[in-house]
Amino acid sequence: MKFAAFRGSAEKIADKLARFIRTVRTYPQEVNGLNMSWKSLVWSAAAVLLLLTLATPLNFITLFLVMTPFVVLYTYLKPKVFIMHLIPIGIIAFLLSGGNGPLVLTLAFFFLVPSLAMGHLYRREKPARLAVTVGFVIVLAQLLLELALFSAMFDIDLKAELTAMLLENFRQFETAQIVSQGWAAATAKEYADAVIRLMPMLLLISALFITFVTHGLSRLALRTVGSQAPALPKAKTWRVPRSLVFYYLIAFIALLFMSEESSGYWPVVISNLFPILQLAFVVQALGFFFFLADAKKWPKVVPMLLCIPLLLFPPLHIIGLIDAAFPLRKYFVK
């Protein structure tokens, strides 16, 4: 009897142990249609490493990479499981950053918000254009908000701070007697004025670049966990609204009649609008090259090679301007 009872207890223990092992292996059983594995831990570690680099000189590079792990984790995991990963990421990054912990956490929250938005749209299988647009708008809005908050809360004069930083660097040339005395102060002021004047354009391009890089890397990264993110429309279909040609002409004419010493609202608007429109027509030209290669059955490497001089020589945006203004693609099809 004792042996039978012991045998029965042993079988129950073995059965519970087997079920526990199956539970561990399959927990959670389903994560957005995928099995969670060590891959989520790897991407969590990648998020920690990238956050730690934000307080180092490497932040110029990792600034464009840090959103990708969060996008992958949110797309890959259920919300509750994602939070279980997110909390340790924040704690570890804070502790390992030392005195820079608050700064790292602030930047982590900054990039977390657009990452969640893009990951949510990927999970719902929304078009890539919508995910990129939403991510871009959020990043740009946060950049503008933080700029305003830092200026107001800490009473920071951005122009003065930038001038001082540039002056400190330029004085090295005066010390080495490469340039004449007084050159550093004049050049620093000139550069600072130009940067502040073009600040809206710089913020817009930065937000756009961060979002596009995140989308491209996230599509590649999600394949490592067995998921997919929607692709942007093919390059050969890229077109900008024809109305931009009209705005371009207005901005161009305004620049002709605007002196370098002009100040005020409209000179700032025109100074930022014109390079943004040039960038838009560069995109149009890229689309034209890929369209032409597809229509003529050229090798895929040909449009990529044609894009190199387009990116290196901004005046070539005129190709995109002509393509937007006239039905240029129809002539090549015929």
Side-chain angles (χ1 to χ4, degrees):
M1 294 293 293
K2 291 182 178 181
F3 177 76
F6 175 77
R7 182 179 179 182
S9 300
E11 289 178 350
K12 289 181 180 179
I13 293 173
D15 181 62
K16 289 182 179 180
L17 181 60
R19 282 187 292 175
F20 175 76
I21 293 174
R22 287 196 299 269
T23 302
V24 171
R25 286 180 175 178
T26 59
Y27 177 77
Q29 185 62 253
E30 184 176 303
V31 184
N32 194 28
L34 302 169
N35 291 328
M36 188 181 75
S37 65
W38 55 269
K39 297 177 182 178
S40 61
L41 300 178
V42 171
W43 282 108
S44 297
V48 172
L49 290 175
L50 288 173
L51 287 176
L52 292 176
T53 61
L54 292 178
T56 69
L58 293 175
N59 57 14
F60 181 77
I61 299 175
T62 56
L63 193 68
F64 300 97
L65 309 178
V66 70
M67 284 175 56
T68 300
F70 294 110
V71 173
V72 173
L73 288 172
Y74 188 82
T75 307
Y76 177 49
L77 303 173
K78 285 183 177 179
K80 291 183 180 179
V81 183
F82 172 76
I83 294 175
M84 291 172 59
H85 284 68
L86 186 62
I87 294 175
I89 289 173
I91 294 175
I92 294 173
F94 179 81
L95 295 176
L96 295 181
S97 298
N100 294 317
L103 173 63
V104 170
L105 281 187
T106 301
L107 293 174
F109 180 77
F110 174 90
F111 289 109
L112 179 64
V113 176
S115 300
L116 296 183
M118 295 180 69
H120 180 70
L121 293 172
Y122 290 153
R123 290 182 61 181
R124 298 184 62 184
E125 299 182 351
K126 296 296 183 180
R129 182 180 297 176
L130 177 62
V132 171
T133 302
V134 170
F136 162 71
V137 171
I138 293 176
V139 172
L140 181 61
Q142 289 186 151
L143 285 173
L144 294 172
L145 179 61
E146 289 202 1
L147 189 64
L149 287 176
F150 275 106
S151 299
M153 293 174 61
F154 301 102
D155 193 23
I156 297 176
D157 188 343
L158 293 177
K159 184 177 179 180
E161 293 291 333
L162 183 60
T163 302
M165 183 183 68
L166 292 172
L167 181 59
E168 182 179 354
N169 293 326
F170 289 160
R171 274 179 177 165
Q172 299 175 6
F173 296 101
E174 288 186 353
T175 304
Q177 296 183 350
I178 299 176
V179 296
S180 60
Q181 293 295 322
W183 176 88
T187 306
K189 183 179 183 302
E190 183 179 347
Y191 275 51
D193 290 341
V195 171
I196 295 299
R197 188 186 185 100
L198 297 176
M199 183 66 74
M201 182 203 68
L202 296 174
L203 292 177
L204 188 148
I205 293 178
S206 298
L208 189 64
F209 192 62
I210 289 173
T211 309
F212 269 98
V213 170
T214 299
H215 172 73
L217 293 178
S218 297
R219 289 197 70 234
L220 296 175
L222 284 170
R223 295 175 187 175
T224 66
V225 295
S227 183
Q228 288 186 349
L232 287 168
K234 293 183 178 181
K236 65 179 182 180
T237 65
W238 291 355
R239 304 291 296 265
V240 299
R242 185 168 293 181
S243 59
L244 291 186
V245 177
F246 178 70
Y247 299 140
Y248 179 89
L249 293 176
I250 293 177
F252 181 74
I253 295 173
L255 280 177
L256 292 178
F257 291 95
M258 188 173 66
S259 64
E260 295 183 359
E261 294 77 17
S262 299
S263 60
Y265 176 77
W266 286 111
V268 172
V269 170
I270 298 299
S271 299
N272 286 273
L273 178 61
F274 192 71
I276 291 174
L277 291 173
Q278 286 182 319
L279 180 61
F281 290 122
V282 167
V283 173
Q284 176 87 12
L286 292 174
F288 172 74
F289 286 149
F290 279 93
F291 172 85
L292 187 61
D294 181 72
K296 300 298 181 181
K297 308 300 180 184
W298 291 344
K300 293 183 178 180
V301 70
V302 173
M304 295 181 182
L305 294 175
L306 291 174
C307 292
I308 295 176
L310 179 66
L311 297 175
L312 295 178
F313 301 102
L316 291 179
H317 72 275
I318 194 68
I319 298 173
L321 176 64
I322 296 172
D323 183 44
F326 304 100
L328 194 60
R329 304 189 185 193
K330 292 183 179 180
Y331 297 131
F332 284 95
V333 171
K334 291 180 180 180

